[in-house]
């Protein structure tokens, strides 16, 4: 069962990721963009966790942000 974060919690997680990982969010979003073409959310989270040794919450926040930004691009 996956956790559902509030918008505030999501923003707080994103703010902590650079400190915890040593990489900016934009770097992580490019990593996801350049990564394998996985379809399901949890597959992407699992890939980030195992390939880049990220905590579940950080991986989930990165994929959620990636999906939000990708959806926003489609609306423009």
């Amino acid at each position: 069962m996956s956790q559902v974060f509030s918008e505030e919690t999501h923003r707080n997680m994103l703010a902590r990721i650079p400190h915890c990982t040593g990489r900016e969010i934009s770097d992580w979003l490019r990593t996801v963009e350049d990564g394998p073409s996985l379809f399901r959310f949890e597959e992407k989270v699992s890939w980030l966790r195992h390939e880049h040794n990220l905590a579940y919450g950080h991986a989930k926040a990165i994929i959620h942000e990636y999906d939000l930004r990708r959806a926003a691009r489609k609306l423009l």
Side-chain angles (χ1 to χ4, degrees):
M1 182 171 130
S2 65
Q3 301 168 337
V4 177
F5 296 142
S6 69
E7 184 62 28
E8 180 182 4
T9 300
H10 175 66
R11 294 286 154 217
N12 289 337
M13 277 285 238
L14 288 180
R16 288 193 308 264
I17 287 173
H19 173 74
C20 295
T21 67
R23 292 177 62 185
E24 295 297 321
I25 295 298
S26 58
D27 292 339
W28 285 115
L29 297 176
R30 276 193 298 278
T31 297
V32 173
E33 182 72 26
D34 295 340
S37 297
L38 301 171
F39 180 71
R40 292 179 45 235
F41 182 86
E42 287 297 330
E43 289 175 326
K44 295 175 194 175
V45 170
S46 181
W47 172 76
L48 264 185
R49 289 185 68 208
H50 293 93
E51 188 71 23
H52 297 281
N53 200 30
L54 290 176
Y56 175 75
H58 292 151
K60 183 177 175 179
I62 291 166
I63 298 301
H64 182 63
E65 186 67 17
Y66 175 80
D67 287 348
L68 288 173
R69 291 183 186 197
R70 187 180 64 185
R73 284 193 308 255
K74 287 183 180 180
L75 291 175
L76 297 176

